[in-house]
Amino acid sequence: MTVHNLYLFDRNGVCLHYSEWHRKKQAGISKEEEFKLMYGMLFSMRSFVGKMSPVDMKDGFLAFQTSKYKLHYYETPSGLKVVMNTDLGVGNIRDVLHQIYSNIYVEFVVKNPLCSMSEPIQSELFRTKLDGFIRGLPFFSARAG
Amino acid sequence: LALASSSELFTLTYGALVTQLCKDYENDEDVNKQLDKMGYNIGVRLIEDFLARSNVGRCHDFRETADVIAKVAFKMYLGITPSITNWSPAGDEFSLILENNPLVDFVELPDNHSSLIYSNLLCGVLRGALEMVQMAVDVKFVQDTLKGDGVTEIRMKFVKRIEDNLPAGEE
C-alpha cells in the first residue's frame, strides 16, 4: 500500500501545507495552480455531493477513487480540509485524517502563537512531526515510488 | 505560592492582565475593548483545540450550539456548566447563567471601575470561536455578580450564518 501525497487547506482555500512521498506523475503545472485546481474541485465536489444526495447527510463527501488512486477527504467544522491520496488498497482512514488534524495541526500550528493560521505553514517542527506520522502509518509503503 | 489548582493560576494570571490593562488605559471602555480583542484572538485558536478534543460535529441549530457551549466547552475549559435560559421566541437568542465564574474568584471591583466588564475576555472568546464555525454571534454580559446582580448572565444573539465562498481570482 502507498501514501502518495497530502494537502491541507484552510477555510478560505489557502493551501497551508503540501507534502508528497510517492508521486510518479506530476501535474505539469505550477504548484500554485495545482492547489487552486485541487481546492476548486473539492469545493465543487462538496457542493455537488450535498445537492445530489437524496437523503440528509452527516459527513458529506468522504472519498473518491479512480482506477489508480483514492482521494480521502476530511473536513472539520472550522473548515480545515485534510486531503490524502493513497493507492486503492487503503480503506476508510477517517480516524487517521482526524489524527493529523488533532495531534499534529492543532498541536504544532494552532498552539504555536508564532504560526499564522491563514498562511502556508513554515514550522519545521510541524513538517517533521507530520512526516514522521505518515511514514509510521501501516499503509505507508517504503518502496520508492 | 501554593496554587490549589491550575485553574487558580489562570484566574490569577487573568487578574494580573486586567490590572495591567487598567493601568495602561485611562478609561474602562478601552480596557473592555482590549479584553474582547484578546479573547477573540484566543477564541479563533481555542475552537480548533476544542473540535480536536471533543470530536463534536457541526451544529444544526442554535439550540444545539447552546448545549455544546454550556455542557461541553465551559465544562472542558472552566470546569463549570452554565445553565441555558431566556430563549427568544425565534430561537436566535439565549442566555448563559454562570453560578460561579472562576475568573472572578478573588475579585472585588473598586468603585472607580464601574463600567469595567471584568470578564469581557469571555465574550471575545465565544465570538471568535463561533465565527470560525461560520456563526456571527453578538455576545455580551447583561448581569454580573461583581456589579451586585444575583447571577452572571451572558447574552448570546445569533446574527447570521457566514457563507463560505470560492476564493476570488479563480480561473
Side-chain angles (χ1 to χ4, degrees):
Chain A
M1 288 193 268
T2 314
V3 173
H4 297 301
N5 56 357
L6 177 105
Y7 303 80
L8 281 186
F9 290 99
D10 82 352
R11 56 212 296 270
N12 300 313
V14 176
C15 185
L16 297 176
H17 179 77
Y18 173 74
S19 42
E20 64 183 44
W21 292 272
H22 304 121
R23 183 171 178 173
K24 283 187 195 156
K25 184 180 152 293
Q26 293 294 332
I29 50 177
S30 75
K31 272 284 170 287
E32 202 174 293
E33 282 175 282
E34 179 184 313
F35 298 155
K36 274 192 190 173
L37 201 57
M38 178 57 105
Y39 189 79
M41 187 278 294
L42 296 170
F43 191 93
S44 308
M45 189 63 115
R46 211 172 57 129
S47 106
F48 171 82
V49 167
K51 289 197 175 86
M52 291 305 127
S53 174
V55 290
D56 272 343
M57 286 184 303
K58 203 166 130 267
D59 295 321
F61 167 44
L62 299 174
F64 73 68
Q65 66 181 56
T66 70
S67 60
K68 289 287 185 191
Y69 76 98
K70 182 170 177 185
L71 180 144
H72 307 259
Y73 178 80
Y74 175 77
E75 182 178 337
T76 69
S78 55
L80 186 94
K81 295 157 185 76
V82 185
V83 183
M84 188 193 274
N85 287 310
T86 68
D87 71 344
L88 297 174
V90 177
N92 184 339
I93 52 163
R94 255 186 109 57
D95 55 328
V96 169
L97 302 187
H98 178 78
Q99 279 173 41
I100 293 174
Y101 168 65
S102 62
N103 299 343
I104 303 175
Y105 174 75
V106 171
E107 291 301 315
F108 301 104
V109 177
V110 176
K111 294 191 184 176
N112 178 352
L114 297 180
C115 258
S116 157
M117 285 169 64
S118 51
E119 296 167 24
I121 300 162
Q122 305 290 334
S123 163
E124 207 45 57
L125 184 62
F126 167 80
R127 285 164 201 261
T128 311
K129 293 283 178 186
L130 179 63
D131 188 66
F133 177 78
I134 300 289
R135 286 178 191 277
L137 290 171
F139 50 86
F140 181 87
S141 159
R143 279 178 290 119
Chain B
L1 180 67
L3 293 166
S5 64
S6 65
S7 102
E8 284 194 2
L9 177 61
F10 172 54
T11 303
L12 293 171
T13 306
Y14 184 69
L17 172 77
V18 177
T19 308
Q20 188 60 45
L21 286 171
C22 288
K23 284 180 190 156
D24 291 350
Y25 292 90
E26 279 182 12
N27 70 63
D28 292 346
E29 290 304 326
D30 291 335
V31 176
N32 295 341
K33 216 179 282 171
Q34 287 301 318
L35 288 172
D36 179 81
K37 203 200 258 177
M38 287 180 196
Y40 177 88
N41 290 333
I42 293 171
V44 301
R45 290 192 183 244
L46 201 63
I47 184 70
E48 303 288 357
D49 180 68
F50 175 74
L51 293 171
R53 283 167 57 177
S54 65
N55 221 342
V56 163
R58 195 170 267 288
C59 291
H60 295 99
D61 57 41
F62 207 39
R63 285 180 188 269
E64 202 181 332
T65 308
D67 271 348
V68 171
I69 291 171
K71 294 176 188 152
V72 191
F74 266 85
K75 180 101 195 113
M76 187 184 286
Y77 294 108
L78 293 176
I80 55 170
T81 308
S83 46
I84 304 164
T85 58
N86 299 335
W87 277 102
S88 64
D92 62 344
E93 261 184 77
F94 67 91
S95 292
L96 291 169
I97 306 290
L98 284 70
E99 305 265 308
N100 46 349
N101 172 3
L103 288 188
V104 304
D105 274 353
F106 314 106
V107 182
E108 220 175 307
L109 268 194
D111 294 338
N112 57 337
H113 285 294
S114 54
S115 52
L116 174 69
I117 308 165
Y118 186 86
S119 310
N120 210 32
L121 187 100
L122 286 182
C123 295
V125 170
L126 287 163
R127 188 168 59 84
L130 290 172
E131 195 175 301
M132 295 301 114
V133 288
Q134 291 170 291
M135 277 182 272
V137 178
D138 197 50
V139 187
K140 58 174 187 273
F141 279 89
V142 291
Q143 287 197 79
D144 194 339
T145 48
L146 283 184
K147 304 216 166 134
D149 298 315
V151 289
T152 295
E153 175 179 357
I154 301 176
R155 190 78 182 147
M156 312 270 297
K157 182 179 169 30
F158 179 85
V159 180
K160 63 167 183 172
R161 200 175 154 68
I162 304 163
E163 295 300 333
D164 49 12
N165 295 312
L166 204 56
E170 206 68 25
E171 289 105 318

